[in-house]
Amino acid sequence: MTEIAKLVDQQHAHLAVLKQIILKEKGALGDQNADLLLSLAEQKSKCLQELKANDDLLANHSDKSLLTEQIELSHKLAAAKEALAECKELNAQNASLIEMNLASLNRFAQALQASRNATTLTYNDKGKTSTFSSLGNDLKA
């Protein structure tokens, strides 16, 4: 096996690891497991760095023309690109989950704030709830 073929196989391995991390991340988001999410974020960052380093090696390899000339290598490269596209799609789904969780947390925080001090609740110019402890204190009637 040539060196460039090994690099392509390493890229496949890195992408498989990345996919597993992203799938675990989705589960942690569903379970709202913050500790696991932090751990997975570190793993994901490391894996992405390894992917980038391996990609740089492939891009600068003296035999990179073999990636398009040899059928077996071109098929492996196409499979790697498909795996990367799948990882990107899964990651986008996780980003949507994160946005929904943040929106839910914001609504929950506003509900808590409203129930804590309903008599002083008001809204700012952006539509967010806020409380002013002086609201209504200067009324004389």
Side-chain angles (χ1 to χ4, degrees), residues 7 14 50 58 73 101 110 119 122:
L7 289 173
H14 290 311
E50 291 169 354
L58 279 167
L73 281 177
N101 280 337
Q110 287 180 353
T119 60
T122 188

Side-chain angles (χ1 to χ4, degrees), residues 24-43:
K24 288 179 185 176
E25 184 180 56
K26 184 176 184 176
L29 284 167
D31 296 340
Q32 295 184 348
N33 187 339
D35 293 332
L36 181 56
L37 278 172
L38 289 172
S39 171
L40 291 170
E42 289 177 27
Q43 292 175 32

Side-chain angles (χ1 to χ4, degrees), residues 1-55:
M1 181 179 282
T2 64
E3 183 183 345
I4 197 155
K6 288 179 184 177
L7 289 173
V8 173
D9 287 343
Q10 283 178 344
Q11 200 73 337
H12 270 283
H14 290 311
L15 287 165
V17 169
L18 180 62
K19 182 179 176 182
Q20 290 306 310
I21 292 170
I22 292 171
L23 291 172
K24 288 179 185 176
E25 184 180 56
K26 184 176 184 176
L29 284 167
D31 296 340
Q32 295 184 348
N33 187 339
D35 293 332
L36 181 56
L37 278 172
L38 289 172
S39 171
L40 291 170
E42 289 177 27
Q43 292 175 32
K44 189 175 174 184
S45 177
K46 183 181 176 192
C47 188
L48 288 170
Q49 290 171 355
E50 291 169 354
L51 268 169
K52 175 68 174 138
N54 201 57
D55 187 59

